[in-house]
Amino acid sequence: MYKEPASFKLDIESGVIEDSKRLVRRLSDMKGYFVDEEAWKELVEKENPVVYEVYAVEQEEREGDLNFATTILYPGKVGKEFFFTKGHFHAKPDRAEVYVALKGRGGMLLQTPEGEARWIPMEPGTIIYVPPYWAHRTVNTGREPFIFLAIYPADAGHDYGTIAKKGFSKIVIEEDGEVKVINNPRWKA
Ligand SMILES: O=C(CO)[C@@H](O)[C@H](O)[C@H](O)COP(=O)(O)O
Ligand SMILES: [Fe+2]
């Protein structure tokens, strides 16, 4: 009736959690996500890099229980746009989440269902509270892997559909050697 308490080993340098479930997202898995589709196609054909890896420890989808996962988001760009995670609402949209940045540099785009966006920079030690109802995507704005831990309700689930179709209302680019958060030219409210 009681679950057995458990501990896990996180390698802070690599972001890998031992005995977890590994998921790999390559650039080819992200068709339609980046603004510059020509640059996306070229890079997919050239090297199809791994954009991010996730190491997750997940329970059955039950209210009250918790999952956690590290993400290793690699440095890179498609055109001017920095590499990012797909981004999602939770399938149960009122489920919140906590992110803890461990290594590298980046940030989080958050967005309401109405398309109002926020950008929060992240560096090692940054803790982000993702409130209920906000979609979230992380972006690597640095030159080394950006690694963070996320803790989320076991019954949160993922709803990728809306973001896959519409994206975020803001994008994060490098221009004149600077990180800029600008309006997404393809955004339709
Ligand atoms: O927010 C969560 C879980 O709710 C993170 O563990 C992400 O799942 C991970 O950073 C990959 O990003 P996505 O591909 O899921 O957007
Ligand atoms: Fe999430």
Side-chain angles (χ1 to χ4, degrees):
M1 106 155 228
Y2 294 115
K3 274 190 179 175
E4 194 56 28
S7 77
F8 293 82
K9 278 239 158 2
L10 160 66
D11 184 277
I12 304 264
E13 286 309 305
S14 68
V16 175
I17 302 174
E18 255 177 42
D19 302 319
S20 64
K21 204 179 75 196
R22 175 170 180 259
L23 179 134
V24 179
R25 289 260 181 261
R26 287 188 176 271
L27 195 57
S28 55
D29 301 318
M30 299 180 76
K31 187 174 170 60
Y33 275 85
F34 292 89
V35 168
D36 189 339
E37 289 186 346
E38 275 306 305
W40 175 83
K41 192 159 172 272
E42 209 173 289
L43 194 52
V44 165
E45 280 163 9
K46 212 171 76 193
E47 49 178 311
N48 193 19
V50 172
V51 180
Y52 58 103
E53 291 175 63
V54 178
Y55 291 84
V57 176
E58 297 191 325
Q59 309 297 323
E60 314 86 72
E61 284 186 26
R62 192 176 294 142
E63 192 176 345
D65 214 341
L66 291 173
N67 292 340
F68 57 89
T70 50
T71 301
I72 302 156
L73 177 53
Y74 289 97
K77 281 186 298 181
V78 175
K80 292 180 174 180
E81 216 175 348
F82 288 109
F83 278 8
F84 52 66
T85 57
K86 286 186 167 184
H88 57 270
F89 289 94
H90 290 149
K92 286 203 165 76
D94 66 347
R95 297 309 195 246
E97 183 160 1
V98 171
Y99 276 64
V100 183
L102 302 173
K103 208 173 175 216
R105 290 245 167 328
M108 185 186 286
L109 281 171
L110 298 101
Q111 181 162 299
T112 65
E114 290 74 33
E116 179 156 339
R118 301 276 188 276
W119 167 250
I120 302 181
M122 297 170 76
E123 59 180 26
T126 303
I127 302 172
I128 296 186
Y129 166 61
V130 180
Y133 301 108
W134 288 79
H136 40 287
R137 160 183 288 168
T138 44
V139 183
N140 186 341
T141 57
R143 296 186 196 288
E144 54 170 321
F146 173 39
I147 302 173
F148 51 86
L149 173 72
I151 304 158
Y152 47 104
D155 63 349
H158 294 95
D159 165 15
Y160 289 103
T162 313
I163 296 297
K165 211 162 98 206
K166 297 184 61 173
F168 280 73
S169 61
K170 302 217 178 273
I171 60 169
V172 188
I173 62 165
E174 183 166 52
E175 207 171 52
D176 310 322
E178 270 180 64
V179 177
K180 294 186 181 169
V181 182
I182 62 165
N183 289 332
N184 181 353
R186 296 198 307 181
W187 172 257
K188 288 189 209 75

